[in-house]
């Protein structure tokens, strides 16, 4: 798919460009390596020469005299051998832990609500389709990172994809920061929601408890952001994924064993479960439900940073496949079972609100590590984005220097303060869970989940010497070419129709009075 396979003839001129990058081990099909990684992966040619990163145009990268991806990667490892702080330290298992912690998150509890809107059968089908699309585009991203091992984040990729134009870097950087800030806003919102759920409503005339709790969550998250490598964060990520898994399993069990869903009344009757959307389901509600599903799966924005800190990037698909299989199982089972026992009438987002008070508090409490960690993960990715550009060719990047640690702490102090303030504003302007997920999915996942990787596919195929559909007339060439055109179109659909549906859904919720006003101090507990 992304690499040479046994069917790729050497006459395309690819073998000469790749030279002795890597020789496939005998007995291992090359096609399998393209999907599952391993030592026999063959790295394709670059789409563009190495350029100095934005913010350090006066100094080329440490690998600027190299053009072979394998040589660049070896030099990166060699440069770090005697350094106190080494970044390429993650095994594929630790990377899988980071992926689990990113994807096995609170948003899982939006699946029952999505299924209640879409119907159980369409909901499950869309879950599997979206998972496979994200798997495919993530493998494209992985190939791109192997060809260009100097890239450290999605902003570098954005610049390279669009012909090394600086405007592309700046556009990607703005979207990158905004995406991370919206995620921080989501965690400010849900962190305050959790504390309010546990302690109940206070007197808003005495203290604005929702605002106070949001500040507490932000401060704890900042302290947890201090580790400078993903190797350390992966340990926190493992704990986060474990407790999240316990949380959603408990919620699923409690939904099945409770006498009735929360807010049950005899008038509304027993839970109603439908295989297809109920009559009257609108385009806006249906698309918002699908955007909630998409948001949970799409997380490619962090993958370049993960791959850049792997000891052996060729092994990344192992982590990717492990995470994807677990995602499909957990998301589908949790979504379907909770929906089956809660039904359309009593569904909330997140679905913890559909449980009896005691069950709700127990299962929601196991989500605490994730409420903190995911905000920490995205704050750390953003801080790296700034830190590596300031100290790109400096010893402060790899040594325990006073300047390095003061700068790192200062970046975490000054930069997140601004973003946490913006995150707080977002959490209070859009104070409801499902609509915030939908808006984030439409604005950012359109680029980072679809458009970028469709463009990357065609740029890499052109570098290989054949553009799918026009140059490669095999079935595989036609199929993958058409698929990536669909992926790009899907991204533009998310950006246009998805954004419209998200904004319209927010306005409808305010009109219906299902949430309070913006910047309200009263409890937002579920």
């Amino acid at each position: 798919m992304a690499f040479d396979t046994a069917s790729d003839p050497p006459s395309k001129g690819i073998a000469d460009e790749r030279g002795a990058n890597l020789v496939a081990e005998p007995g291992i099909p090359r096609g399998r390596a393209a999907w599952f990684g391993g030592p026999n992966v063959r790295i394709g040619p670059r789409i563009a020469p190495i350029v100095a990163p934005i913010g350090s145009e006066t100094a080329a990268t440490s690998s600027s005299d190299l053009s072979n991806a394998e040589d660049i990667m070896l030099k990166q490892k060699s440069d770090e051998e005697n350094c106190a702080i080494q970044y390429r330290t993650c095994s594929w298992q630790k990377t899988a832990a980071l992926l689990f912690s990113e994807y096995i998150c609170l948003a899982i509890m939006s699946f029952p609500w999505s299924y209640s809107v879409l119907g159980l059968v369409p909901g499950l089908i869309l879950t599997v389709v979206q998972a496979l699309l994200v798997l495919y585009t993530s493998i494209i991203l992985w190939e791109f990172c192997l060809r260009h091992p100097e890239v450290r984040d999605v902003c570098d990729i954005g610049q390279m994809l669009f012909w090394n134009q600086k405007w592309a870097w700046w556009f990607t950087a703005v979207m990158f920061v905004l995406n991370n800030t919206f995620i921080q806003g989501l965690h400010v919102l849900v962190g305050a929601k959790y504390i309010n759920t546990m302690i109940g409503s206070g007197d808003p005339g005495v203290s604005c408890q929702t605002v106070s709790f949001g500040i507490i969550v932000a401060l704890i998250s900042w302290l947890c952001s201090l580790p400078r490598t993903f190797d350390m964060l992966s340990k926190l990520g493992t704990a986060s994924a474990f407790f999240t898994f316990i949380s959603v399993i408990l919620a699923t069990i409690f939904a099945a064993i409770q006498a009735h869903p929360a807010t049950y009344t005899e008038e509304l009757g027993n839970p109603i479960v439908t295989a297809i959307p109920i009559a009257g389901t609108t385009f806006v509600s249906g698309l918002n439900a699908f955007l909630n599903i998409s948001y949970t799966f799409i997380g490619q924005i962090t993958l370049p940073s993960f791959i850049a800190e792997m000891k052996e990037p060729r092994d990344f698909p192992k982590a990717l496949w492990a995470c994807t299989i677990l995602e499909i199982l957990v998301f589908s089972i949790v979504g379907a079972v909770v929906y089956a026992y809660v039904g359309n009438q009593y569904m909330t987002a997140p679905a913890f609100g559909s449980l009896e008070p005691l069950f709700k508090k127990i299962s929601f409490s196991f989500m605490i590590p994730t409420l903190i960690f995911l905000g920490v993960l995205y704050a750390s990715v953003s801080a790296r984005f700034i830190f590596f550009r300031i100290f790109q060719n400096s010893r402060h990047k790899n040594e325990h220097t006073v300047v390095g640690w003061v700068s790192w702490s200062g970046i975490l102090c000054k930069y997140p303060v601004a973003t946490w303030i913006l995150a707080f504003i977002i959490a209070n302007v859009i104070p409801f869970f499902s609509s915030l997920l939908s808006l984030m999915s439409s604005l950012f996942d359109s680029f980072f989940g679809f458009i970028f990787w469709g463009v990357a596919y065609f740029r890499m195929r052109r570098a290989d010497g054949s553009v799918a559909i026009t140059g490669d007339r095999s079935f595989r060439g036609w199929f993958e070419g058409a698929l990536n055109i669909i992926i790009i179109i899907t991204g533009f659909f998310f950006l246009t129709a998805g954004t419209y549906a998200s904004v319209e859904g927010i306005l409808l919720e305010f009109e219906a009075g299902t949430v309070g006003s913006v910047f309200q101090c009263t409890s937002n507990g579920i």
Side-chain angles (χ1 to χ4, degrees), residues 90-104 230-246 306 326 366 369-370 373-374 377:
C90 272
S91 62
W92 75 262
Q93 292 92 340
K94 290 180 179 178
T95 303
L98 284 169
L99 289 174
F100 289 146
S101 66
E102 182 183 4
Y103 292 111
I104 307 300
F230 283 131
D231 182 60
M232 178 62 69
L233 287 179
S234 70
K235 296 178 176 63
L236 297 175
T238 302
S240 169
F242 172 76
F243 283 107
T244 300
F245 183 76
I246 296 297
F306 294 167
L326 183 62
F366 279 92
T370 295
F373 177 76
L374 269 188
L377 178 63

Side-chain angles (χ1 to χ4, degrees), residues 3 17-23 38-46 50 63 66-78 88 143-150 311-314:
F3 300 85
E17 288 186 68
R18 294 176 182 178
N21 275 359
L22 256 182
V23 178
N40 65 318
V41 169
R42 301 183 66 181
I43 302 173
R46 303 176 58 86
I50 299 174
S63 307
L66 304 171
S67 59
N68 182 287
E70 180 73 9
D71 290 341
I72 295 172
M73 201 177 304
L74 289 173
K75 188 175 190 310
Q76 289 175 342
K77 293 179 180 179
S78 175
R88 281 202 178 275
E143 176 190 358
F144 191 96
C145 290
L146 284 185
R147 295 182 185 220
H148 312 89
E150 75 279 7
K311 284 187 290 190
E312 183 45 78
R314 293 178 190 80

Side-chain angles (χ1 to χ4, degrees), residues 505-520:
I506 291 170
L507 296 176
L508 289 173
E509 287 198 67
F510 275 122
E511 289 176 8
T514 54
V515 295
S517 61
V518 299
F519 289 100
Q520 64 173 5

Side-chain angles (χ1 to χ4, degrees), residues 460-488:
M460 289 189 291
R461 294 294 78 75
R462 184 175 181 84
D464 289 342
S466 67
V467 179
I469 295 182
T470 60
D472 183 354
R473 299 187 182 277
S474 66
F475 171 78
R476 175 179 150 193
W478 283 99
F479 177 78
E480 287 200 48
L483 176 60
N484 280 277
I485 289 174
I486 293 172
I487 286 172
I488 294 173

Side-chain angles (χ1 to χ4, degrees), residues 166-429:
K166 290 185 179 179
W167 67 261
W169 187 94
W170 285 107
F171 171 80
T172 309
V174 170
M175 297 296 286
F176 175 76
V177 171
L178 284 176
N179 175 81
N180 294 355
T181 304
F182 266 75
I183 291 175
Q184 290 171 254
L186 178 67
H187 285 265
V188 170
L189 170 66
V190 180
K193 191 181 287 289
Y194 167 75
I195 301 175
N196 277 320
T197 299
M198 297 304 292
I199 70 172
S201 301
D203 183 357
V206 176
S207 64
C208 199
Q209 64 183 50
T210 299
V211 175
S212 302
F213 295 154
I215 293 172
I216 292 171
V217 172
L219 286 174
I220 293 173
S221 298
W222 177 80
L223 290 173
C224 294
S225 302
L226 288 175
R228 279 170 61 175
T229 66
F230 283 131
D231 182 60
M232 178 62 69
L233 287 179
S234 70
K235 296 178 176 63
L236 297 175
T238 302
S240 169
F242 172 76
F243 283 107
T244 300
F245 183 76
I246 296 297
S247 174
V248 297
I249 294 299
L250 283 176
T252 305
I253 295 171
F254 291 155
I257 67 174
Q258 65 182 356
H260 296 290
T263 71
Y264 170 84
T265 64
E266 291 188 3
E267 272 187 290
L268 292 175
N270 291 325
I272 298 173
V273 178
T274 55
I276 59 175
I278 61 174
T281 301
T282 64
F283 170 79
V284 168
S285 62
L287 185 52
N288 275 322
F290 174 58
L291 288 171
N292 269 237
I293 292 175
S294 297
Y295 170 82
T296 314
F297 281 107
I298 295 173
Q300 292 96 316
I301 191 172
T302 61
L303 299 193
S305 300
F306 294 167
I307 295 170
E309 296 200 15
M310 288 188 69
K311 284 187 290 190
E312 183 45 78
R314 293 178 190 80
D315 287 337
F316 177 72
K318 297 176 184 178
L320 193 62
W321 275 97
C323 187
T324 301
I325 292 170
L326 183 62
E327 282 178 315
I328 293 174
L329 292 174
V330 173
F331 296 177
S332 299
I333 293 172
V334 170
V337 173
V338 173
Y339 172 49
Y341 284 99
V342 171
N344 295 330
Q345 316 98 297
Y346 310 108
M347 187 59 64
T348 63
F352 293 117
S354 302
L355 304 176
E356 293 177 356
L358 178 61
F359 292 157
K360 171 176 61 182
K361 291 180 179 181
I362 292 173
S363 56
F364 203 177
S365 293
F366 279 92
M367 196 65 71
I368 292 175
T370 295
L371 296 181
I372 300 300
F373 177 76
L374 269 188
V376 167
L377 178 63
Y378 280 90
S380 182
V381 169
S382 298
R384 277 170 172 71
F385 170 65
I386 297 174
F387 185 79
F388 287 138
R389 274 157 181 77
I390 295 175
F391 297 109
Q392 179 65 33
N393 300 300
S394 168
R395 68 187 183 91
H396 302 300
K397 185 177 80 170
N398 294 93
E399 302 293 339
H400 290 293
T401 64
V402 173
V403 172
W405 276 106
V406 169
S407 299
W408 177 256
S409 300
I411 290 169
L412 285 172
C413 183
K414 293 180 181 179
Y415 168 78
V417 162
T419 57
W420 281 117
I421 290 173
L422 182 55
F424 167 76
I425 294 171
I426 291 169
N428 283 275
V429 171

